Amino acid sequence: MENNYALYKTMLIIRRFEERLLVEFSAGKLVGTTHTYIGQEADAAGIFSVTDPEDVVFSSHRCHGHFLAYGGEPYRLAAELMGKSTGLVGGRGGSQHIQWRNFYSNGIQGGIVPVATGMALAEKVHRTGKIALVFIGDGTLGEGILYESLNLAALWSLPIMFVLENNGYAQTTPVEKGVSGSMAGRFTAFGIPVWECNTMDVLEICSTAQEAVRHVRLDIRPGALILHTYRFSAHSKGDDLRSPEELTRIRAFDPLKLHSPRLTVEERSRAETEAMVIVEDAFVRAEADLSPSLNSND
Ligand SMILES: Cc1ncc(C[n+]2csc(CCOP(=O)(O)OP(=O)(O)O)c2C)c(N)n1
Ligand SMILES: [Mg+2]
């Protein structure tokens, strides 16, 4: 498990990267749409501090935080968001469709879940010891393909972790209007054990995720990790029907504020400076890069 400084710095890089991204978006510098992870940083920082770099990761439309915590380079992501040929997939995937090493994302809700399940089967057949991790949101519990995947993952005892980030909303639809019954029950119905965290404290997420990952890897069986969290920013750029009171209330659970007292003043300021330099470098370099030509493979 990583130390307090590393966890803080990971969360801070995600936060500052996403804040900068919103500024660049408003300035018209990004191509396509974008969804930020602001508020949910403890989930990604916690999980990727207890996984193996060789594990295979599948993410969604809200993938930037997962990618950065996985160890992805901010500059290559910024270049992708700006549609530059130096981007992760040559500037043609944009915010939602990125790939680097064992990290894959797709913007179709639930669409990547059967792919992750198939990859878990491949890892099992080849006895690699790797696990697959697939991130979904509460709104994605409404996608039927999820349940076909859970069924096969359980029947074939596949090493896959279903990570459900419940941020309480699917775009503007509150979870109470979109999800019936129990979230955990949707996994246990298939015999898949559930670990659940109702916190935005990164250390608690680390220890629960560590236990869940150990189960999936050692027992070669699926598991589900349900993380209840809050998204502070809009669903995408401006679509947010929540009241100012609700936003103020949830901001009290800011994972950076919860974790920062575990650092010294000097460490906090060093992390802030390092994050600022990384993010500034990423966007400045990306902006100076070339866009791909329509006729070439560059
Ligand atoms: C199949 C499909 N339907 C609709 C959409 C449009 N869409 C993108 S994100 C989203 C809501 C997703 O909610 P949730 O799964 O809770 O993830 P969150 O955005 O909260 O992270 C919707 C409806 C989509 N991308 N794919
Ligand atoms: Mg959601």
Side-chain angles (χ1 to χ4, degrees):
M1 200 176 286
E2 293 195 29
N3 63 32
N4 285 339
Y5 184 80
L7 288 168
Y8 187 75
K9 191 173 153 189
T10 301
M11 294 194 289
L12 199 60
I13 289 172
I14 299 171
R15 176 72 57 93
R16 297 291 174 254
F17 185 95
E18 298 277 58
E19 287 169 346
R20 176 65 174 262
L21 176 162
L22 288 171
V23 172
E24 301 293 339
F25 189 93
S26 301
K29 303 233 179 97
L30 303 194
V31 178
T33 189
T34 192
H35 307 80
T36 67
Y37 197 62
I38 295 172
Q40 301 183 208
E41 295 92 344
D43 295 349
I47 289 171
F48 287 108
S49 71
V50 300
T51 52
D52 190 290
E54 295 302 310
D55 290 335
V56 198
V57 181
F58 299 86
S59 180
S60 63
H61 57 289
R62 203 174 298 287
C63 61
H64 309 157
H66 303 150
F67 174 77
L68 294 171
Y70 173 76
E73 209 186 332
Y75 155 62
R76 300 285 312 284
L77 176 58
E80 187 58 44
L81 294 167
M82 290 184 173
K84 301 300 178 81
S85 55
T86 48
L88 292 161
V89 290
R92 291 186 165 95
S95 165
Q96 304 177 84
H97 304 104
I98 61 178
Q99 190 276 319
W100 181 72
R101 295 195 179 162
N102 285 340
F103 186 100
Y104 305 82
S105 75
N106 184 283
I108 298 172
Q109 270 182 274
I112 210 161
V113 179
V115 180
T117 308
M119 194 65 99
L121 174 62
E123 302 304 343
K124 180 172 179 171
V125 168
H126 292 120
R127 299 175 193 275
T128 62
K130 295 186 209 171
I131 67 169
L133 293 123
V134 59
F135 288 86
I136 58 170
D138 46 288
T140 306
L141 291 172
E143 295 294 334
I145 192 70
L146 171 66
Y147 302 96
E148 296 183 38
S149 304
L150 294 177
N151 189 46
L152 287 184
L155 280 175
W156 297 344
S157 199
L158 302 181
I160 180 167
M161 175 75 74
F162 298 92
V163 183
L164 165 57
E165 289 185 271
N166 170 25
N167 60 14
Y169 288 90
Q171 203 149 355
T172 51
T173 305
V175 67
E176 303 76 33
K177 292 198 172 165
V179 181
S180 64
S182 131
M183 284 192 188
R186 290 170 180 238
F187 300 95
T188 55
F190 294 91
I192 296 176
V194 171
W195 286 262
E196 201 158 356
C197 267
N198 200 357
T199 179
M200 288 165 79
D201 181 342
V202 68
L203 290 190
E204 284 185 48
I205 293 168
C206 279
S207 63
T208 307
Q210 190 169 42
E211 211 184 302
V213 164
R214 191 188 300 127
H215 158 88
V216 171
R217 196 184 307 282
L218 297 185
D219 295 350
I220 315 182
R221 284 189 59 201
L225 181 60
I226 303 181
L227 304 173
H228 301 282
T229 183
Y230 294 115
R231 149 169 76 70
F232 294 165
S233 47
H235 166 73
S236 186
K237 284 87 50 191
D239 39 356
D240 200 346
L241 302 180
R242 295 173 296 180
S243 66
E245 293 74 32
E246 179 173 353
L247 293 175
T248 306
R249 184 178 60 76
I250 65 176
R251 281 262 178 197
F253 301 97
D254 188 331
L256 284 166
K257 286 194 200 138
L258 290 179
H259 191 58
S260 66
R262 298 179 182 126
L263 273 66
T264 64
V265 174
E266 184 277 323
E267 285 173 323
R268 286 203 288 269
S269 118
R270 179 155 50 94
E272 195 66 67
T273 307
E274 288 177 1
M276 198 187 73
V277 168
I278 288 168
V279 170
E280 176 71 11
D281 170 75
F283 281 92
V284 169
R285 274 168 70 200
E287 193 175 354
D289 287 344
L290 297 175
S291 300
S293 111
L294 285 178
N295 302 321
S296 74
N297 292 320
D298 61 9

